């Protein structure tokens, strides 16, 4: 009762009164009743031009049903019911909000994206419990200074508005972890932003920024910085001292050079495509020990340094549309999953090889290393089990590249001589793809303490043996194009596994064991028969960044999948579900997840 008294004390006219009957025309009575029990109200997509007064007063007025039925049961006593903590009014036609907003002081989530708001009421300062505020896709030109009073705010989403500046005092939002200011009209970032010490994700893309403040390096917890599509001509060297930074987006700017990254040991993705960068040197690469994705497309690079091989974790390298005429052969030593070279005047690699894709290019580059390296008789061993044409074991690859390669032999088993050839050498990669294997060779367990990358694609595997589950350092596993329909529970012991490719198999559900491998970042399971997935269990996969479910049998996409906020790439094309519609899918992962979250039952 004290809460109701507090709300009423602000204005004598705001005491208890019966709900307005005409409110039911825009908000069903049952929805309000349910909101009093759950503390959550979702009014998205109702074509509202204003917020009905009964919504603001839901915790103040006596509900209509109280007058209709005075015999309340224990579960229906309106005076004991919950304060509204979550209010969603997105996808409507709201032009403004009234100061009655202050009648909902318990709100922790306020979502009003996709409306036509030009301002926010000053009364927003009284929502002191607010943790998430989404005002994206409106027409805001300024933010009220009162927004700086929301000291508990953790997520603030202001993308796709018309903001030209940030209010003074913004740095007082010390608990802010996620801030999206993309697609506005900002020309500067205040130096005082550096006081947002809790910030983990900052999106400044699609503005009119010509520079970034050097003080940005003080954001010691920042992991994700997006400055795509601005007018940046240089990056402050201090940015290279951001030890927590994992994702850095600088595409579509006017950069002519890259800084060094001496402290960015955790940087996993660096996107600097569509700039004017002319030179890539060893100093730019030598510290990027954790880099997985390097996007350098559409620049003016003329060469790639040999030190590119220092990037042993690199999976995706985009060099397309530069001025590169030759590549270092050592590039073939990397375990790339994707290499883009289109639009370069390459003279050392024939077009037909490039057209065959990444693995053929890498194979060609490795062959050139061999040509320049030991003689043929030093690097080839023949086995007694197969014809000489099929039996060549590349000893040079074993000793120099740390690769055990017996691929494209169409064999039904891997000869013992292949494993014998390892001897005392360290092996980090195994490639037995494009054979006729019906089971995984048992001797692979001999490599359990060193191998991190195993390729068994394009075989005839119908089950996974326990030997594979013993490869304690396994990080990348390629099992595509086999006959698999399940995975053993023992795979849970693969505690370093980051990527698994299960495309073109016979799975009908997402294998249960995958939910329990917390290190997984990429799951590719397209072109199967997957009909369902468990979004609650998937939410526990906190490191999952890419999920490819294309061309499966999903009849519906559970809305709760929208809570998997770590996902940056979610591919759903080619499934029989009706919603989300194709128009939503085309907008990309962020739009899909937002769409799904808006449809989670309240």
């Amino acid at each position: 009762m004290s809460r109701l008294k507090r709300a009423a004390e602000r204005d004598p006219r705001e005491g208890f009164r019966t709900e307005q009957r005409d409110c039911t025309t825009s908000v069903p009575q049952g929805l309000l009743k349910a909101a009093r029990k759950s503390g959550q109200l979702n009014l998205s997509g109702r074509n509202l031009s204003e917020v009905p007064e009964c919504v603001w007063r839901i915790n103040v007025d006596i509900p209509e049903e109280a007058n209709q039925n005075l015999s309340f049961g224990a579960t229906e006593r309106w005076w004991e019911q919950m304060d509204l903590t979550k209010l969603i009014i997105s996808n409507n036609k709201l032009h403004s909000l009234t100061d009655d907003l202050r009648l909902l002081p318990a709100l922790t989530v306020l979502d009003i994206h996709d409306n036509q708001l030009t301002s926010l009421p000053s009364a927003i300062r009284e929502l002191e419990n607010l943790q998430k505020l989404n005002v994206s896709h409106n027409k805001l030109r300024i933010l009220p200074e009162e927004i700086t009073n929301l000291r508990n705010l953790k997520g603030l989403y202001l993308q796709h508005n018309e903001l030209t500046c940030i209010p003074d005092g913004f740095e007082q939002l010390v608990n802010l972890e996620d801030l999206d200011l993309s697609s506005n009209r900002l020309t500067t970032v205040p130096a005082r932003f550096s006081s947002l010490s809790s910030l983990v994700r900052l999106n400044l893309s699609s503005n009119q920024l010509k520079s970034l403040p050097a003080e940005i390096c003080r954001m010691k917890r920042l992991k994700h910085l997006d400055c795509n599509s601005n007018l940046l001509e240089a990056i402050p060297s201090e940015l290279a001292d951001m030890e927590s930074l994992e994702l850095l987006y600088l595409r579509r700017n006017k950069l002519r050079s890259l800084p060094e990254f001496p402290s960015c040991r955790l940087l996993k993705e660096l996107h600097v495509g569509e700039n004017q960068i002319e030179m890539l040197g060893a100093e730019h690469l030598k510290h990027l020990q954790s880099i997985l994705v390097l996007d350098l497309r559409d620049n003016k690079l003329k060469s790639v340094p040999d030190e590119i091989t220092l990037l042993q974790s690199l999976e995706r390298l985009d060099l397309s549309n530069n001025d590169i005429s030759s590549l270092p052969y050592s590039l073939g030593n990397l375990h790339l999953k994707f290499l883009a070279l289109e639009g370069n005047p390459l003279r050392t690699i024939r077009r037909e090889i490039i057209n065959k894709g990444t693995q053929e290019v890498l194979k060609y580059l490795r062959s050139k290393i061999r040509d320049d390296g030991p003689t043929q008789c030093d690097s080839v061993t023949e086995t007694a089990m197969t014809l000489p044409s099929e039996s060549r074991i590349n000893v040079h690859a074993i000793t120099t590249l740390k690769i055990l390669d017996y691929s494209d032999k169409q064999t039904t088993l891997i000869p013992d001589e292949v494993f014998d050839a390892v001897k005392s050498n360290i092996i980090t990669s195994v490639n037995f793809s494009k054979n006729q294997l019906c089971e995984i060779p048992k001797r692979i367990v001999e490599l359990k303490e060193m191998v991190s990358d195993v390729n068994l694609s394009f075989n005839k595997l119908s089950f996974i043996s326990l030997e594979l589950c013993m490869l304690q350092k396994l990080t990348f596993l390629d099992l595509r194009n086999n006959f698999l329909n399940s995975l053993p529970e023992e795979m849970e012991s693969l505690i370093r596994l980051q990527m698994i490719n299960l495309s073109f198999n016979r799975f009908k559900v997402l294998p249960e064991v995958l939910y329990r491998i917390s290190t997984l970042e990429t799951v590719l399971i397209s072109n199967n028969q997957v009909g369902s997935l468990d979004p609650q269990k998937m939410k526990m996969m906190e490191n999952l960044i890419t999920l490819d479910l294309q061309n499966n049998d999903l009849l519906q996409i559970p809305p709760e999948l929208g809570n998997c906020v770590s996902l940056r790439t979610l591919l759903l094309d080619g499934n029989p579900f009706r919603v989300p519609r194709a128009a939503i899918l085309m907008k990309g992962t962020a739009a899909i997840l937002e769409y799904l979250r808006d449809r989670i039952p309240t």
Side-chain angles (χ1 to χ4, degrees), residues 67-80:
N67 293 323
Q68 297 171 353
N69 181 6
L70 298 177
S71 57
F72 288 97
T75 61
E76 295 180 317
R77 292 185 295 206
W78 61 268
W79 56 87
E80 291 183 358

Side-chain angles (χ1 to χ4, degrees), residues 338-399:
F338 174 83
L339 173 61
L341 298 169
E342 300 84 2
N344 283 286
L346 287 167
R347 300 184 186 123
T348 54
I349 306 179
R350 297 193 308 276
R351 173 59 52 187
E352 62 191 73
I353 294 175
I354 295 175
N355 290 342
K356 288 181 179 179
T358 297
Q359 298 311 315
E360 288 300 318
V361 172
L362 297 179
K363 187 176 179 181
Y364 170 81
L365 292 172
R366 286 195 295 270
S367 74
K368 300 302 287 184
I369 295 175
R370 290 201 295 274
D371 291 346
D372 293 343
T375 61
Q376 185 98 352
C377 60
D378 290 332
S379 53
V380 169
T381 299
E382 291 190 1
T383 75
M385 294 185 61
T386 53
L387 296 172
S389 62
E390 299 174 332
S391 65
R392 293 178 181 272
I393 301 171
N394 192 334
V395 175
H396 175 70
I398 292 174
T399 58

Side-chain angles (χ1 to χ4, degrees), residues 268-446:
K268 293 180 179 179
E269 297 190 18
L270 175 58
H271 298 262
V272 288
E274 299 179 65
N275 279 284
Q276 300 167 27
I277 299 169
E278 297 180 354
M279 201 268 289
L280 183 67
E283 66 275 14
H284 301 125
L285 302 174
K286 61 185 179 182
H287 301 295
L288 302 178
Q289 299 171 352
S290 301
I291 200 80
L292 298 174
V293 178
L294 181 55
D295 169 17
L296 292 158
R297 67 172 297 138
D298 291 282
N299 277 286
K300 297 180 179 180
L301 296 175
K302 290 180 170 57
S303 63
V304 178
D306 286 334
E307 287 78 8
I308 192 79
T309 55
L310 295 172
L311 311 183
Q312 283 297 304
S313 298
L314 193 63
E315 293 180 12
R316 298 177 66 87
L317 176 60
D318 194 340
L319 296 169
S320 53
N321 300 322
N322 277 279
D323 297 325
I324 299 168
S325 57
S326 64
L327 293 173
Y329 296 148
S330 56
L331 186 63
N333 291 345
L334 295 178
H335 308 306
L336 294 175
K337 311 298 180 190
F338 174 83
L339 173 61
L341 298 169
E342 300 84 2
N344 283 286
L346 287 167
R347 300 184 186 123
T348 54
I349 306 179
R350 297 193 308 276
R351 173 59 52 187
E352 62 191 73
I353 294 175
I354 295 175
N355 290 342
K356 288 181 179 179
T358 297
Q359 298 311 315
E360 288 300 318
V361 172
L362 297 179
K363 187 176 179 181
Y364 170 81
L365 292 172
R366 286 195 295 270
S367 74
K368 300 302 287 184
I369 295 175
R370 290 201 295 274
D371 291 346
D372 293 343
T375 61
Q376 185 98 352
C377 60
D378 290 332
S379 53
V380 169
T381 299
E382 291 190 1
T383 75
M385 294 185 61
T386 53
L387 296 172
S389 62
E390 299 174 332
S391 65
R392 293 178 181 272
I393 301 171
N394 192 334
V395 175
H396 175 70
I398 292 174
T399 58
T400 306
L401 306 180
K402 301 179 182 179
I403 298 173
L404 184 59
D405 188 349
Y406 202 75
S407 61
D408 208 4
K409 299 288 192 287
Q410 300 305 311
T411 183
T412 57
L413 55 85
I414 305 298
D416 283 339
E417 285 82 354
V418 174
F419 290 99
D420 293 341
V422 173
K423 297 180 180 178
S424 60
N425 291 290
I426 300 294
I427 293 296
T428 59
S429 296
V430 172
N431 187 357
F432 293 157
S433 64
K434 297 181 181 176
N435 283 300
Q436 302 288 324
L437 302 179
C438 293
E439 61 179 316
I440 298 170
K442 296 187 182 304
R443 288 189 63 181
I444 200 170
V445 75
E446 296 172 12

Side-chain angles (χ1 to χ4, degrees), residues 253-268:
N253 278 283
K254 296 183 177 182
L255 301 177
R256 294 186 177 275
S257 63
L258 278 177
E260 298 179 30
F261 295 93
S263 300
C264 297
R265 305 283 180 175
L266 300 178
L267 193 63
K268 293 180 179 179

Side-chain angles (χ1 to χ4, degrees), residues 223-266:
K223 293 183 178 181
H224 182 159
L225 176 60
D226 191 341
C227 296
N228 282 345
S229 301
N230 276 284
L231 305 172
L232 299 173
E233 296 181 358
I235 298 299
S237 58
E238 290 83 356
L239 185 140
D241 295 326
M242 301 180 74
E243 296 180 359
S244 297
L245 201 61
E246 295 182 9
L247 306 174
L248 177 57
Y249 294 85
L250 296 165
R251 293 185 69 179
R252 291 183 294 278
N253 278 283
K254 296 183 177 182
L255 301 177
R256 294 186 177 275
S257 63
L258 278 177
E260 298 179 30
F261 295 93
S263 300
C264 297
R265 305 283 180 175
L266 300 178

